[in-house]
Structure formats: structure tokens, C-alpha cells
Amino acid sequence: IVMTQTPLSSPVTLGQPASISCRSSQSLVHSDGNTYLSWLQQRPGQPPRLLIYKVSTRFSGVPDRFSGSGAGTDFTLRISRVEAEDVGVYYCMQSTQSRTFGQGTKVEIK
Amino acid sequence: EVDLVESGGGLVQPGGSLRLSCVASGFTFSYYEMNWVRQAPGKGLEWLSYISGISSVIDYADSVRGRFTISRDNAKNSLYLQMNSLRAEDTAVYFCARDIDYGSGALGFWGQGTLVTVSS
């Protein structure tokens, strides 16, 4: 399964919303009924950090300004109000059939 | 607290081999699925391999299938990646990562990574 993220770069204004799209080459609905789509953040010089899993469930400790949505092949990560600490690269990842990452979206402050 | 520490990286010649290790602590290692993920310099994340808690299910990315072998020793709380026939394009930071729980498909815990450089 190929994961395609858009945009690849997203300059954002502090306090403004941001969104990243992720499209899969085939449906991510598993035979068990779950959709295994997650979002990870990687700050400069750090390992990745899980934000969202199963499309919309926030991982422990993740601020509620991060939200995930979508179904089938189209998914979105939204940041309601961007903060300086949100700068980094964001990846979607599917685990429905093997595992694949998107190519990443760089979020930077304007 | 979950902790994952990779080791075994270094400089290796093309065609050579290397074995990476990841030592886990802070949780019951045998209960959790584990993964290897790599990141080439300045590039994105690439998932490489997965192993279930009792090694009954193993999966690989096409890019490394047949060259890399994942394994684990639950008695030693350790995950391994045997890498053979290494190429320049295998140069990357290699991370081990743990699924948050069984069937979640989510990589919630990561080590700091170990750098592998393939060069003559």
C-alpha cells in the first residue's frame, strides 16, 4: 500500500490551524473492521512520536489540539492552533496490510 | 517507564554484515510486537520489519526481504536485526519501535536510534 501525503511542506502562522492530508492506494479498512491509520510527529533531532492511531484516537499525553479524521483511503491530521513546539515533520502510517509510511510533511512557522 | 536502547551500528563496507540489537526495559517484553524502522540522512521514515511477541508472525518490507532478518530473545528482553549484503543505500539511522498494544498497529514507543554507515 502506497501512502501519499499533501502538502509536502506547510508554512503556518502561530495560533492558526493547519491540516495535512494522507491518501492510501487502497482501502485501509481491515477485515476485522478496524482502520489502522496513525500519525506521528518527528521534531528535529528526535525519534518519532505517536500522535494519533486508528484514525482518530489520540495517544497518551497528546494535546487535544491534534485531531485525526477520515475513512477508507482519505485521512486528515488537523492542528487547531499551531504552537512553536509543533514544528517538525509529520508522517501518516498504515498498518492494515504490512506497514508503510507516507513521505512526510514538514510543518514550519511562517 | 518504557525504554528502548539500540546498539550495534557503525561503519561497514558494501557487501558486509551487521547485527543490530535493541534492549527493552520497563514492560513485559514478550507481550508486545516490535519493529525496525530506518531513516536515511535527510529522508523520511521507512518501516523495515515486524515481529510478534512470540515470533510467530514476521514481516518485512520488500526493500530488505531476503537480506535482513528480524529476531527476538524474550529471555533477554532483546530485539535483533541481522543485516547482510549491505549496500550504500542502507546507510541510515535504525530505530526499534514497540506497538502500543496487541493489534493496535501503532508504533508508540521508540528508541533513539543507531547509525549504520555503509561505505568503502
Side-chain angles (χ1 to χ4, degrees), chain A residues 23-78:
Chain A
R23 177 167 290 179
S24 57
S25 60
Q26 60 192 76
S27 174
L28 296 186
V29 179
H30 193 274
S31 57
D32 65 8
N34 290 308
T35 300
Y36 295 102
L37 186 283
S38 56
W39 290 95
L40 301 95
Q41 173 197 62
Q42 189 176 29
R43 293 170 174 151
Q46 296 293 316
R49 168 197 179 200
L50 178 67
L51 297 176
I52 303 282
Y53 63 99
K54 289 184 183 177
V55 180
S56 59
T57 303
R58 266 189 305 276
F59 188 45
S60 175
V62 174
D64 60 7
R65 66 178 182 274
F66 291 96
S67 63
S69 64
T73 61
D74 289 287
F75 304 91
T76 302
L77 175 71
R78 289 187 175 86

Side-chain angles (χ1 to χ4, degrees), chain B residues 53-114:
Chain B
I54 57 170
S55 305
S56 56
V57 179
I58 287 175
D59 192 16
Y60 297 98
D62 289 344
S63 59
V64 302
R65 186 175 288 114
R67 296 191 301 127
F68 290 10
T69 302
I70 192 172
S71 63
R72 63 192 295 162
D73 184 337
N74 288 341
K76 295 183 178 180
N77 289 344
S78 293
L79 175 72
Y80 305 103
L81 186 67
Q82 177 67 42
M83 304 187 296
N84 299 329
S85 304
L86 284 163
R87 308 163 180 164
E89 54 265 36
D90 295 318
T91 294
V93 174
Y94 286 71
F95 297 99
C96 66
R98 196 202 93 180
D99 280 31
I100 58 174
D101 53 40
Y102 179 76
S104 69
L107 306 186
F109 301 94
W110 294 71
Q112 291 296 316
T114 187

